[in-house]
């Protein structure tokens, strides 16, 4: 393999890492906040606001239903406003994060809903404030599921970043399309697939280890 091509692999790999890490940080942070709001405002929960909960739930469902490639195009004006351009690695962060926020919010919400209601009632009986219950009971008890959801979400973002690369975002997807597809260099396509499989495997391994480490029920 020639040195210039190796440099392209390295550059594309780090572009993918940058896209995924920054997008995942934004999406997971905002998605977790959204999940907590959805959970605590549900009927018979800590801050029951049924109408607000229903309206927010509908908005999340609508956002989740939009395919990534359509969202990518629809958010071009927003991306240009925030980043100043619609091309390149950092421009891809906006649609990638926007795509994953509702996805991760639903996953985290499921984990929060699975927390034993008896623990929440016990905390209430002890006089804990609602915010303290969220911080010291709800989030710690749901942490293994929250981390498991992070793992699934980051892997989904790796896949989406490859798709974003095909429309000018750079990264491994861009390399596979430009060399593997447009120049008929099948070897490049195969090697990019191997790199993506290795990257996803590492993320899955680290995520599972972290989830097991924080799971005190085991």
């Amino acid at each position: 393999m020639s040195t210039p091509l190796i440099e392209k692999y390295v550059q594309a790999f780090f572009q993918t890492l940058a896209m995924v890490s920054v997008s995942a940080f934004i999406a997971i942070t905002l998605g977790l906040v959204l999940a907590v709001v959805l959970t605590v405002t549900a009927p018979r929960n800590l801050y029951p606001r049924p109408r607000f909960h229903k309206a927010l739930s509908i908005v999340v469902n609508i956002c989740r239903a939009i395919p990534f490639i359509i969202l990518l195009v629809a958010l071009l004006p927003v991306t240009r406003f925030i980043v100043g351009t619609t091309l390149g690695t950092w421009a891809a962060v906006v649609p990638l994060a926007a795509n994953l926020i509702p996805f991760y919010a639903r996953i985290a919400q499921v984990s929060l809903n699975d927390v034993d209601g008896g623990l929440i009632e016990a905390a209430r009986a002890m006089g804990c404030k609602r915010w303290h219950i969220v911080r010291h009971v709800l989030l710690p008890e749901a942490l293994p599921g929250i981390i498991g959801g992070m793992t699934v979400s980051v892997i989904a973002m790796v896949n989406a970043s490859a798709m974003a690369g095909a429309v000018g975002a750079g990264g491994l997807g861009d390399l596979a399309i430009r060399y593997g597809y447009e120049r008929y260099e099948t070897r490049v396509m195969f090697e990019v697939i191997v790199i993506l499989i290795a990257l996803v495997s590492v993320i899955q391994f680290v995520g599972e280890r972290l989830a097991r480490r924080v799971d005190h029920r085991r």
Side-chain angles (χ1 to χ4, degrees), residues 59-107:
V59 171
V60 170
N61 287 341
I62 291 172
C63 292
R64 280 188 63 194
I66 302 174
F68 174 66
I69 194 68
I70 295 176
L71 186 68
L72 186 69
V73 176
L75 288 179
L76 285 178
V78 179
T79 302
R80 187 179 291 110
F81 176 76
I82 295 175
V83 187
T85 178
T86 57
L87 295 175
T89 301
W90 300 115
V93 168
V94 176
L96 282 171
N99 179 59
L100 205 67
I101 289 172
F103 178 77
Y104 179 68
R106 282 303 189 196
I107 294 178

Side-chain angles (χ1 to χ4, degrees), residues 36-200:
V36 170
V37 172
L38 281 167
T39 302
V40 300
T41 58
R44 296 184 295 278
N45 215 310
L46 293 173
Y47 294 91
R49 299 288 186 275
R51 290 183 180 178
F52 174 79
H53 173 82
K54 189 172 183 180
L56 186 59
S57 185
I58 289 172
V59 171
V60 170
N61 287 341
I62 291 172
C63 292
R64 280 188 63 194
I66 302 174
F68 174 66
I69 194 68
I70 295 176
L71 186 68
L72 186 69
V73 176
L75 288 179
L76 285 178
V78 179
T79 302
R80 187 179 291 110
F81 176 76
I82 295 175
V83 187
T85 178
T86 57
L87 295 175
T89 301
W90 300 115
V93 168
V94 176
L96 282 171
N99 179 59
L100 205 67
I101 289 172
F103 178 77
Y104 179 68
R106 282 303 189 196
I107 294 178
Q109 186 190 2
V110 171
S111 300
L112 292 168
N113 286 336
D114 285 342
V115 174
D116 186 357
L119 293 173
I120 296 173
E121 290 303 319
R124 274 179 156 170
M126 294 170 65
C128 290
K129 294 181 179 178
R130 287 179 286 192
W131 166 242
H132 289 163
I133 295 175
V134 171
R135 183 179 176 185
H136 298 293
V137 178
L138 205 54
L139 288 175
E141 289 295 321
L143 193 55
I146 288 173
I147 292 177
M150 288 180 185
T151 306
V152 173
S153 300
V154 173
I155 289 173
M157 187 162 283
V158 171
N159 296 333
S161 73
M163 195 185 306
V167 292
L172 292 167
D174 177 57
L175 186 67
I177 293 296
R178 282 195 294 119
Y179 285 82
Y181 178 70
E182 295 178 353
R183 300 186 185 184
Y184 303 105
E185 295 184 28
T186 310
R187 180 180 171 184
V188 174
M189 180 80 77
F190 176 75
E191 288 170 347
V192 167
I193 292 172
V194 171
I195 294 171
L196 287 172
I197 291 173
L199 181 59
V200 167

